[in-house]
Amino acid sequence: MKKVLLIWCCILAISKIYAGGDPKTVQFLFYGDSIQFVCNETQRVDIDENTLSDSSILNFYTTIRQKDYSGVLAALKKYEMEEGADDWLYYQLVRAVVQQISPKEQNYIRYTLYKWYFMLQSGFDPMLSLHDRQLLFYIRSDENIYNIPYRMKGGKQYVCLNYHDYGSNIDFEKTPFKEVALPIVPHQRSFSYKVTKLPRFETGDYITRDLKFTVYNQDYDYQVKVNPKIKTLFANYPTVDYSTYFSIPVSNATHASLIPMLKKELKGRSVKDGIDYLMRFTRYAFPFEEDSRQFGREKRLTPEQTLLYEGSDCEDRVLFFFYLVKELYNRPMIVLVYPQHVTIAVKLERPVGTSILFNGEQYSVCEPTPQKEDLPMGRLLPQLKNMRYEVAYAYHP
């Protein structure tokens, strides 16, 4: 059942706030939830995209502070509190709300400034950086973010939230962006990219994907429910630490269509044989595709994205295999990063093949990515045997 978020204001008070125009109720669906607030077009603050400067941005900030957007901010905060929304989902809601108030296609600078203002009013610590008519929107984050621009200020890291809007092709050596100086007291809330909960998607959002593969000379055909809206939710999600990816769940309907089916298949198998099956399922159920060919850039897929996209690379399969093993067996695991490859090893009751020693424990390599030869459990790619590796993440339940 959809949860309706209602922000009602007294009509007389609204008439005073929005003098010069009638207030209207804005209502739209956000991943299955109905978001509703009172707003008015005469409340909107304008800015000329063609004469952008520090002073025009300061004037925008001075003007918007005099407007009453308490109803909008209350709707945002209520969703965050009632849904337990992580920062990434909260920011997606801010984007959706601003699109209703100040559409991106009408005035991109105004759209960006509204996002910046609502994030500021939500307690985050954002920053604006300007060059000519290009406006970059940063936010303070204390986490490791790898493939988007960042700035340092006072020893704090600020990562760019709208770099993708400029085609991700700004040459920062040739384009000297300068911070927009505004009379703002910095907030202490740091933006986190950790996603521990997904929205409550509607049943009608899901489609069925057929996974056809062969394991142990037996053909399998799995039908799994997947949600295309996951692609939108994580479209601009950057590359972050493995620990952050491992906290991202799959949606309820996808979990319900996949995990019980695998439990039935694994019933009666030993832990070793069950994990071997999961390794081969991950290896052969999805075509291999490099990120550069599929996305034109580095992009790590969450487990549900791996089910959604046609192809996936070694990192994506490690994340997917980790999810399956944790969900079905909850065994200790380590992620092994080589110069040109990523793989994973699992701690079994007894190690298999040539094991990896880590913190006094033996881990058996489980290669989840298809190779020229059908590698058994405990067998590392021959070309990796003498290469140095890094344990990028260790899981120990």
Side-chain angles (χ1 to χ4, degrees):
M1 181 177 180
K2 299 175 184 175
K3 183 176 291 186
V4 180
L5 307 177
L6 300 175
I7 306 299
W8 297 109
C9 299
C10 173
I11 297 299
L12 292 176
I14 291 173
S15 298
K16 294 179 181 179
I17 294 170
Y18 301 106
D22 294 327
K24 68 175 182 179
T25 298
V26 176
Q27 184 173 359
F28 65 96
L29 284 177
F30 179 73
Y31 295 117
D33 280 294
S34 179
I35 308 299
Q36 186 169 308
F37 55 86
V38 172
C39 194
N40 190 285
E41 288 189 1
T42 60
Q43 177 83 341
R44 191 170 62 195
V45 181
D46 274 317
I47 186 169
D48 188 348
E49 293 182 289
N50 298 314
T51 58
L52 191 59
S53 65
D54 284 29
S55 59
S56 67
I57 294 173
L58 174 59
N59 182 64
F60 178 94
Y61 175 59
T62 302
T63 305
I64 199 171
R65 290 180 65 194
Q66 300 171 6
K67 306 294 183 178
D68 187 347
Y69 282 105
S70 59
V72 176
L73 291 166
L76 289 168
K77 181 58 65 175
K78 188 171 185 181
Y79 178 87
E80 180 184 32
M81 297 297 293
E82 293 188 354
E83 295 300 320
D86 298 300
D87 293 348
W88 179 255
L89 183 58
Y90 183 80
Y91 176 58
Q92 304 316 304
L93 177 59
V94 168
R95 293 177 65 207
V97 165
V98 171
Q99 181 64 22
Q100 299 292 323
I101 298 172
S102 175
K104 182 177 183 177
E105 60 276 9
Q106 289 184 8
N107 186 322
Y108 177 74
I109 297 300
R110 186 180 63 201
Y111 166 80
T112 303
L113 288 173
Y114 262 94
K115 290 193 301 177
W116 165 81
Y117 180 72
F118 286 152
M119 292 299 282
L120 175 68
Q121 294 301 308
S122 298
F124 292 99
D125 185 9
M127 175 197 297
L128 295 171
S129 182
L130 179 64
H131 174 79
D132 195 16
R133 286 185 289 177
Q134 293 180 316
L135 183 66
L136 294 182
F137 167 32
Y138 293 78
I139 200 159
R140 185 186 140 204
S141 177
D142 302 328
E143 298 169 354
N144 295 323
I145 313 298
Y146 297 102
N147 63 340
I148 56 176
Y150 70 93
R151 295 175 67 98
M152 299 299 295
K153 177 182 177 182
K156 304 294 185 181
Q157 173 187 258
Y158 293 77
V159 295
C160 189
L161 288 176
N162 70 327
Y163 180 54
H164 57 276
D165 286 333
Y166 291 101
S168 303
N169 58 2
I170 296 175
D171 187 338
F172 285 93
E173 293 185 0
K174 297 180 181 179
T175 310
F177 279 80
K178 183 180 179 182
E179 180 189 351
V180 179
L182 296 169
I184 296 171
V185 178
H187 292 151
Q188 297 303 311
R189 184 177 179 183
S190 178
F191 187 87
S192 174
Y193 282 91
K194 289 184 172 61
V195 177
T196 60
K197 184 179 180 181
L198 295 178
R200 293 181 296 112
F201 297 109
E202 294 184 289
T203 303
D205 292 335
Y206 287 84
I207 60 175
T208 299
R209 181 178 181 187
D210 288 331
L211 300 176
K212 299 179 185 294
F213 59 100
T214 302
V215 172
Y216 314 129
N217 295 318
Q218 181 177 343
D219 295 332
Y220 292 86
D221 185 359
Y222 286 175
Q223 293 188 331
V224 182
K225 290 184 178 180
V226 291
N227 194 327
K229 289 189 176 181
I230 288 288
K231 289 184 178 181
T232 304
L233 182 60
F234 289 99
N236 301 314
Y237 194 75
T239 301
V240 296
D241 283 338
Y242 285 103
S243 59
T244 300
Y245 284 103
F246 289 137
S247 70
I248 301 175
V250 301
S251 60
N252 291 337
T254 298
H255 181 281
S257 68
L258 176 65
I259 298 303
M261 180 169 53
L262 286 173
K263 284 183 177 179
K264 183 178 180 180
E265 180 62 40
L266 298 175
K267 188 176 181 180
R269 299 177 191 257
S270 67
V271 172
K272 171 184 169 296
D273 289 345
I275 292 177
D276 185 80
Y277 178 86
L278 296 178
M279 174 187 75
R280 295 172 186 277
F281 165 51
T282 305
R283 186 187 295 175
Y284 299 122
F286 317 102
F288 180 84
E289 188 63 85
E290 294 180 353
D291 287 342
S292 58
R293 291 174 60 89
Q294 187 167 203
F295 304 110
R297 60 183 174 88
E298 169 68 16
K299 183 178 178 63
R300 290 178 187 163
L301 301 181
T302 69
E304 191 157 354
Q305 283 178 300
T306 296
L307 289 168
L308 271 165
Y309 284 99
E310 187 60 31
S312 51
D313 67 4
C314 57
E315 288 184 309
D316 308 328
R317 292 161 194 269
V318 163
L319 294 171
F320 186 79
F321 176 75
F322 177 95
Y323 165 74
L324 295 181
V325 173
K326 182 181 178 183
E327 190 72 23
L328 293 162
Y329 293 107
N330 202 26
R331 302 294 301 177
M333 289 175 278
I334 54 175
V335 175
L336 308 174
V337 177
Y338 290 85
Q340 300 295 327
H341 187 61
V342 179
T343 190
I344 191 168
V346 181
K347 183 178 182 294
L348 304 171
E349 293 299 328
R350 293 182 181 179
V352 176
T354 303
S355 59
I356 303 291
L357 180 64
F358 178 73
N359 287 348
E361 297 181 310
Q362 300 287 343
Y363 290 78
S364 301
V365 174
C366 297
E367 179 54 66
T369 304
Q371 305 298 331
K372 292 182 180 179
E373 57 179 309
D374 185 38
L375 295 173
M377 180 186 289
R379 176 95 174 272
L380 190 65
L381 276 168
Q383 61 266 37
L384 300 180
K385 285 184 178 179
N386 298 318
M387 282 191 179
R388 295 178 63 87
Y389 62 86
E390 174 191 355
V391 176
Y393 181 72
Y395 172 73
H396 211 293

